[in-house]
Amino acid sequence: MKIQNDIKLVLNPEIFLNLIKCVENAFPNEACGLIFGDILEVPNEQQEDDYFYHYISRKFHCIPPDKSSSVSFLIENEELLHDIIKKETHESHNNKKMRLISVFHSHPKGTFPSFTDMDQMKYLDYFSSINHEFGNKAFKNLIWAIMDAINHEINGFIYFEREFQQVKILRRKN
Ligand SMILES: [Zn+2]
């Protein structure tokens, strides 16, 4: 899979711990949730008119394990998805409005997207171009973060420029 170096997901330590907690509570089932924050455009100092996109995480919403907490369930239930997005993006963080930046879920083993995941990544991207209720592009260019339930390794993926690409996840304070 192509590596996309211009896009990075920045996870602060607190959010990273919340992801692990979410995975452990759901175990042995798949955990899932949504990461909210904002996307910073950082100019590339080496190259004019080139930008890096840093997806800055500010809040994580874990879907409680008593609901069917698979990511397919979430994506297929637009109403639930929209309710969570509405609630979380309504709150602001340091007076900054948040948006959905990443869809998170766990796998029993490994961090690579399944065929179903890839279908859903593509579907959400398409969906964002036809649905305007939640602001144009609410689902456009989302990073999918997948965590291995055993060793807590995490990787990020994006459907970008009609291609599945891997992005880097940075673990540091915002
Ligand atoms: Zn998956």
Side-chain angles (χ1 to χ4, degrees), residues 5-73:
N5 285 311
D6 293 348
I7 299 175
K8 292 181 171 72
L9 174 62
V10 182
L11 289 180
N12 70 44
E14 192 194 332
I15 293 207
F16 187 69
L17 285 179
N18 287 336
L19 299 179
I20 293 177
K21 224 186 276 168
C22 185
V23 169
E24 287 183 342
N25 287 339
F27 196 80
N29 297 317
E30 271 190 10
C32 86
L34 300 172
I35 303 172
F36 295 87
D38 46 327
I39 299 175
L40 296 184
E41 219 182 63
V42 184
N44 179 354
E45 282 160 12
Q46 320 290 329
Q47 207 181 322
E48 226 180 299
D49 291 330
D50 190 43
Y51 293 89
F52 296 117
Y53 296 91
H54 289 180
Y55 287 50
I56 309 292
S57 59
R58 306 210 185 272
K59 190 156 185 209
F60 173 58
H61 184 110
C62 175
I63 312 293
D66 55 312
K67 287 188 192 153
S68 167
S69 60
S70 87
V71 73
S72 315
F73 175 81

Side-chain angles (χ1 to χ4, degrees), residues 30 71 105-107 112-114 117 146:
E30 271 190 10
V71 73
H105 73 289
S106 65
H107 282 176
F112 208 74
S114 65
D117 294 338
I146 303 176

Side-chain angles (χ1 to χ4, degrees), residues 17-172:
L17 285 179
N18 287 336
L19 299 179
I20 293 177
K21 224 186 276 168
C22 185
V23 169
E24 287 183 342
N25 287 339
F27 196 80
N29 297 317
E30 271 190 10
C32 86
L34 300 172
I35 303 172
F36 295 87
D38 46 327
I39 299 175
L40 296 184
E41 219 182 63
V42 184
N44 179 354
E45 282 160 12
Q46 320 290 329
Q47 207 181 322
E48 226 180 299
D49 291 330
D50 190 43
Y51 293 89
F52 296 117
Y53 296 91
H54 289 180
Y55 287 50
I56 309 292
S57 59
R58 306 210 185 272
K59 190 156 185 209
F60 173 58
H61 184 110
C62 175
I63 312 293
D66 55 312
K67 287 188 192 153
S68 167
S69 60
S70 87
V71 73
S72 315
F73 175 81
L74 180 66
I75 304 302
E76 284 154 16
N77 282 273
E78 284 168 27
E79 220 163 294
L80 173 65
L81 187 61
H82 285 170
D83 282 350
I84 299 170
I85 293 173
K86 212 178 217 169
K87 178 181 168 279
E88 298 291 356
T89 55
H90 186 71
E91 288 172 26
S92 58
H93 194 277
N94 297 333
N95 293 323
K96 262 194 212 149
K97 230 173 152 30
M98 291 192 287
R99 54 161 290 176
L100 177 62
I101 60 168
S102 176
V103 175
F104 169 80
H105 73 289
S106 65
H107 282 176
K109 197 174 191 299
T111 58
F112 208 74
S114 65
F115 288 114
T116 317
D117 294 338
M118 290 193 187
D119 279 349
Q120 283 164 343
M121 288 168 77
K122 234 173 162 170
Y123 168 77
L124 270 192
D125 199 75
Y126 167 73
F127 183 67
S128 72
S129 57
I130 53 165
N131 183 301
H132 297 282
E133 193 190 340
F134 286 85
N136 242 337
K137 312 206 163 146
F139 300 101
K140 191 94 189 148
N141 300 335
L142 293 181
I143 293 177
W144 279 52
I146 303 176
M147 181 178 271
D148 179 311
I150 304 298
N151 65 17
H152 302 152
E153 196 186 306
I154 184 166
N155 271 310
F157 304 89
I158 193 165
Y159 182 69
F160 188 64
E161 292 169 338
R162 292 169 178 270
E163 237 185 317
F164 292 101
Q165 305 186 9
Q166 186 165 354
V167 302
K168 212 174 181 173
I169 295 187
L170 303 177
R171 282 169 53 192
R172 62 155 200 240

